[in-house]
Amino acid sequence: MKRYDEGEDIKVNRRSSDKIYFESPLIQSISDGIDFLRDETKEILEELDSTEFKQKIDELNLEEVGEYAAGQISEITDEISKFKSEIFNSEDIPEFVKESSVDAKRALNMDADYVRRAQRRLDMLDSNEPADKYRINMRVIELCDKALEVNYKNWQAYYVKSQALINLGRYEDAISELVKSLALNENNCDAWFDIARSYKLNGEYEEAIAVYDSILKRDNESFGAYIGKAYVYYDIEDYQNADNFFKKANSIESLDDDSKMIWVEVQNNL
């Protein structure tokens, strides 16, 4: 192939059209490529500028698209993580290697990463089908267990795990995890409310009321405790007490629409 030294003129042939043609086939192919890209870009820009295309862009909810893409990336990452975990936990891997891995993860605070991944999956639940919800909750439990293998003192892992257990209707197991979380962080007030809620959902109404009462001993203006007791009494059809606690809760904070509807039903049954 002929080389062109620096400073050497490249001969150009001009023809009747505006297009420039070069004697060198190499230079000509480069020129043709540039022309092709220019023409294609012009056509793409014209399509982007079309009213129909603009309308389609305007109809897109970019936030939803972003959330969907992030969700898909999270799904792929999680599947890869599960595959790696299955390989690593196989019987072919010596125990001392597994122990070294746990030590390394603890040093890198990997338990917190497991909890964050579990929480992200919990946040995805509202947009999934029931079958997927079961799978997601089971994966949340698995991720929290991994976090606890690294650091059994991670109170958040117990707490996030309890949320998945509540979603699965495993209330006694959820309460057990919530108690462990509170033992490590007694300031996690949400855990007390979730214990009371779990007792209520499990039909253990007296226990639920006792927990709400314990909350009120620490904070006698707790809206959550009063509204919680109101719903417990509503479930057991003690409408007088339900009315009293709805009234007390409403005096602290305005009830939401659903609670207002239940309160009206309670008053109609008095």
Side-chain angles (χ1 to χ4, degrees), residues 27 43 60-61 69 100 105-106 130 172 214 216-217 245:
I27 300 298
E43 184 177 341
L60 283 175
N61 186 324
S100 298
K105 288 178 180 178
R106 187 179 297 115
E172 292 183 3
S214 70
L216 289 168
K217 284 181 180 179
F245 286 106

Side-chain angles (χ1 to χ4, degrees), residues 28-39:
Q28 185 63 54
S29 66
I30 294 171
S31 176
D32 291 342
I34 293 171
D35 290 340
F36 174 78
L37 288 174
R38 183 187 62 237
D39 294 339

Side-chain angles (χ1 to χ4, degrees), residues 77-90 101-103 105-106 109-118 138-154 157-158 161:
T77 303
D78 199 51
E79 289 301 319
I80 294 172
S81 174
K82 283 197 291 185
F83 177 69
K84 287 165 60 181
S85 179
E86 288 172 4
I87 293 175
F88 186 79
N89 289 322
S90 68
S101 173
V102 170
D103 291 338
K105 288 178 180 178
R106 187 179 297 115
N109 294 320
M110 286 294 292
D111 55 310
D113 182 60
Y114 284 129
V115 174
R116 281 193 296 270
R117 286 165 56 189
M138 292 302 294
R139 180 56 176 160
V140 168
I141 292 170
E142 184 180 343
L143 286 167
C144 290
D145 284 341
K146 287 181 177 295
L148 293 168
E149 286 177 10
V150 176
N151 178 12
Y152 69 93
K153 291 185 177 181
N154 188 318
Y158 292 111
K161 182 179 178 181

Side-chain angles (χ1 to χ4, degrees), residues 210-257:
V211 175
Y212 284 128
D213 284 340
S214 70
I215 295 171
L216 289 168
K217 284 181 180 179
R218 293 190 295 274
D219 178 11
N220 63 2
E221 292 295 306
S222 171
F223 172 82
Y226 284 118
I227 196 70
K229 288 187 72 172
Y231 271 101
V232 172
Y233 284 118
Y234 168 75
D235 281 0
I236 61 178
E237 299 181 0
D238 184 344
Y239 299 119
Q240 186 60 64
N241 271 318
D243 179 56
N244 292 338
F245 286 106
F246 273 124
K247 188 178 300 181
K248 180 62 177 177
N250 193 57
S251 70
I252 298 171
E253 182 181 320
S254 181
L255 300 181
D256 60 77
D257 291 340

Side-chain angles (χ1 to χ4, degrees), residues 27-55:
I27 300 298
Q28 185 63 54
S29 66
I30 294 171
S31 176
D32 291 342
I34 293 171
D35 290 340
F36 174 78
L37 288 174
R38 183 187 62 237
D39 294 339
E40 286 293 305
T41 303
K42 182 180 178 181
E43 184 177 341
I44 291 170
L45 289 173
E46 287 174 352
E47 289 180 3
L48 287 173
D49 196 48
S50 69
T51 304
E52 181 182 357
F53 189 85
K54 284 181 178 178
Q55 183 178 354

